[in-house]
Amino acid sequence: MSQLQREKQDRLVRCASGVEFWKERLALASQAGDLETVDTGRIPPVSKSELAAAFPDRAIHPSSPQSDLRFAATRGTTQRMICVHDFAKRDAIRAANIVTLRASGYRLGMRMVEIPPDICDVVCGEQGERDEGVLRHLLGILRYNRWRDANTYRDLRGLVERNWVYNRKTYPPFGAGGSHPGTARLDYYIDRLQRDRPFLLKGLTTYLYQIAQRVLERGRIDLEIPVIKPLGSGATPHMRETLETAFGGRFWDDYGSAELGSVAFSCGDSDGMHVLEDLFIVEVLDSQGAPTPPGEVGEVVVTDLANHAMPLIRYRVGDLGRLLEGECQCGRLSRRLRVEGRLQDALRDSQGNWVTSNEIAEHIYRLPWVDQFQLVERREDLLEITVVIRQGLRPDEGQLSSYFRDRLGREVRLRIRTARSISPEPGGKFRWVKALPAKPLTTAGAVNAG
């Protein structure tokens, strides 16, 4: 852990000591309640459900001015949570977003197109601020004589960035069509992209993948979109290849959430994403709560160093990942993280090791007859997979059964269903795998991985 991280972590701990939810946890991790002796590695990782139960009165710092706070709600692929950001945290989110965009070559003012699962989530959830116009905000400053209020200028800066600096257009989601809205709808997106000519295209991976396949199916479509980014979900190597071929650009990964903001980003020179270590401490823990060796899969746990309104210490994001070793060719010295999928979307093999949704999706999407799929673990010995089959091809059930038997190292029964489309979750995202509930993370022998 760097000196800057230690100083920010100490400030965060002192702030959290004034929040009811954290008082007992900090006391257990210290000697005789002395904050100077707090070992954050002894603080049990906190889940979304625990924070949701404490929200708002026991989770928000009591001295945080109400006018200073904005709500940010996760889309809730598996579970929704509401978080609170103050002005300082929102400024940190803006700065982190600019860093991740610049790493891909994007510069402010370049045209950007987003295709989110739900437009309202972008305005009210992920951004966590009112969709207020710049001129309307300026009129409010005049009307209520708020020229000397520093927070007013912070709000104004955020509005200018969203509405004027970012040359951003938002396309509507697929809607009721699920993963397959039909060729006419896909052609609508292609036509708009040809007309708008964005430098950066960011969208739900399932959306981008379906549009990309339609582009390749039609052929001879000149898009040349330099930067392609996922929104709210990852992409397998096969999907990245498809997106880059169809859109004529390069896929750039990043990692974050509505409650945290941007946490890590890809530099384009090596595997994994660089953690924004001046804003976050990222750990990867095994099932006993101990740090995993470099390169091994475990649960991602994040400490947000910038949010003092609603402290998040060793927060269980709900993802699996691995921390990578070795120097990066880009010259950055920050730790690198590779995210492997959602915790609740991962299976276990006969040895108890994770079989992640990303790994499963990479294998299945490379099968020539599979267009889209969703796998549900009904029991440990029973899997059910729904497949959208490519036109003119036939499914190979034996191929799938052999894969799961060999990969899981045990006999499993596989039921195969076919469908015309895969339905999204209530939050608008798509899940490749729905696994049985994972066992709670324990903290025996846990130490700080920072």
Side-chain angles (χ1 to χ4, degrees):
M1 182 187 299
S2 69
Q3 182 63 31
L4 177 62
Q5 280 185 317
R6 291 186 187 279
E7 292 174 358
K8 288 191 172 184
Q9 181 179 258
D10 290 344
R11 289 198 294 270
L12 178 64
V13 167
R14 289 194 294 272
C15 176
S17 66
V19 180
E20 193 66 31
F21 175 81
W22 291 105
K23 287 182 179 179
E24 182 179 352
R25 290 170 177 262
L26 293 175
L28 293 173
S30 64
Q31 298 176 15
D34 183 3
L35 292 180
E36 298 299 325
T37 65
V38 169
D39 178 4
T40 55
R42 295 177 58 193
I43 299 176
V46 60
S47 67
K48 292 183 180 181
S49 59
E50 290 173 301
L51 285 166
F55 186 86
D57 295 337
R58 297 179 61 249
I60 300 175
H61 198 287
S63 67
S64 298
Q66 293 297 312
S67 61
D68 190 17
L69 304 180
R70 298 289 185 273
F71 293 100
T74 65
R75 288 193 179 92
T77 305
T78 55
Q79 184 180 7
R80 286 184 64 84
M81 190 189 84
I82 297 176
C83 187
V84 164
H85 297 157
D86 58 13
F87 284 106
K89 174 59 182 175
R90 296 201 296 283
D91 277 349
I93 290 176
R94 292 170 186 140
N97 188 44
I98 292 173
V99 169
T100 61
L101 289 172
R102 286 183 64 87
S104 67
Y106 176 87
R107 296 295 182 266
L108 300 180
M110 291 179 173
R111 180 159 292 177
M112 176 194 308
V113 165
E114 290 187 349
I115 314 177
D118 189 316
I119 293 176
C120 182
D121 280 345
V122 173
V123 174
C124 306
E126 183 178 329
Q127 300 299 333
E129 301 194 15
R130 299 183 305 274
D131 188 24
E132 181 183 21
V134 175
L135 296 179
R136 181 178 178 183
H137 187 75
L138 286 171
L139 289 173
I141 294 175
L142 289 170
R143 179 179 300 171
Y144 299 108
N145 195 26
R146 293 182 295 170
W147 287 106
R148 298 186 180 184
D149 185 354
N151 294 336
T152 294
Y153 290 99
R154 288 184 177 180
D155 262 354
L156 179 61
R157 184 168 67 248
L159 289 169
V160 169
E161 287 174 0
R162 288 204 313 278
N163 296 356
W164 289 358
V165 177
Y166 293 117
N167 186 6
R168 179 171 59 193
K169 289 190 175 183
T170 302
Y171 293 178
F174 277 13
S179 63
H180 289 69
T183 56
R185 183 69 169 175
L186 296 176
D187 289 340
Y188 157 81
Y189 291 105
I190 295 171
D191 293 343
R192 285 201 64 176
L193 289 172
Q194 286 183 300
R195 182 171 65 251
D196 292 332
R197 292 287 174 181
F199 181 87
L200 186 151
L201 172 61
K202 188 171 185 176
L204 200 63
T205 307
T206 298
Y207 291 175
L208 298 184
Y209 186 61
Q210 289 302 314
I211 296 170
Q213 291 189 103
R214 177 59 179 165
V215 169
L216 297 177
E217 180 181 291
R218 285 176 52 177
R220 297 184 179 181
I221 297 178
D222 179 25
L223 286 176
E224 297 299 326
I225 302 173
V227 178
I228 308 119
K229 277 179 168 283
L231 179 62
S233 59
T236 70
H238 170 71
M239 297 176 84
R240 296 181 187 199
E241 295 166 8
T242 303
L243 297 178
E244 290 182 342
T245 301
F247 296 127
R250 188 172 182 183
F251 185 91
W252 296 80
D253 212 351
D254 55 29
Y255 177 61
S257 66
E259 63 270 36
L260 296 170
S262 295
V263 175
F265 64 94
S266 59
C267 65
D269 289 325
S270 64
D271 193 13
M273 296 172 285
H274 290 276
V275 176
L276 293 164
E277 294 187 306
D278 56 335
L279 299 176
F280 303 98
I281 297 173
V282 174
E283 305 171 71
V284 176
L285 307 179
D286 63 20
S287 59
Q288 299 302 310
T292 59
E296 290 194 10
V297 176
E299 182 173 354
V300 178
V301 175
V302 179
T303 296
D304 188 342
L305 300 172
N307 192 350
H308 289 188
M310 183 175 169
L312 298 176
I313 302 174
R314 307 195 84 200
Y315 171 61
R316 299 179 64 187
V317 187
D319 293 320
L320 291 172
R322 62 182 91 215
L323 290 170
L324 306 178
E325 277 191 323
E327 295 182 1
C328 182
Q329 297 177 8
C330 75
R332 293 181 178 88
L333 302 178
S334 55
R335 306 176 86 183
R336 287 177 293 124
L337 172 71
R338 188 165 76 207
V339 178
E340 302 289 353
R342 299 291 295 172
L343 176 68
Q344 294 186 6
D345 295 349
L347 307 179
R348 293 275 197 174
D349 66 15
S350 59
Q351 304 300 314
N353 300 314
W354 293 111
V355 182
T356 67
S357 59
N358 284 20
E359 178 185 344
I360 294 171
E362 170 63 10
H363 177 85
I364 294 180
Y365 276 126
R366 286 194 180 274
L367 299 177
W369 51 275
V370 174
D371 192 347
Q372 287 287 345
F373 81 97
Q374 184 177 79
L375 180 73
V376 179
E377 186 181 26
R378 299 297 184 186
R379 300 192 308 263
E380 289 190 358
D381 63 344
L382 176 60
L383 302 175
E384 182 178 279
I385 187 169
T386 301
V387 182
V388 179
I389 300 173
R390 293 189 187 279
Q391 187 173 5
L393 299 179
R394 300 185 63 180
D396 188 337
E397 298 183 10
Q399 191 178 35
L400 276 181
S401 297
S402 297
Y403 166 72
F404 285 110
R405 181 178 62 250
D406 296 342
R407 182 61 188 87
L408 298 177
R410 64 174 186 269
E411 288 295 327
V412 291
R413 181 184 169 198
L414 181 67
R415 290 200 304 232
I416 300 179
R417 300 173 59 247
T418 59
R420 294 183 178 179
S421 183
I422 303 294
S423 298
E425 299 301 299
K429 296 181 182 179
F430 295 84
R431 294 174 66 184
W432 295 326
V433 180
K434 292 183 177 182
L436 293 171
K439 294 182 179 178
L441 182 68
T442 61
T443 55
V447 295
N448 195 330

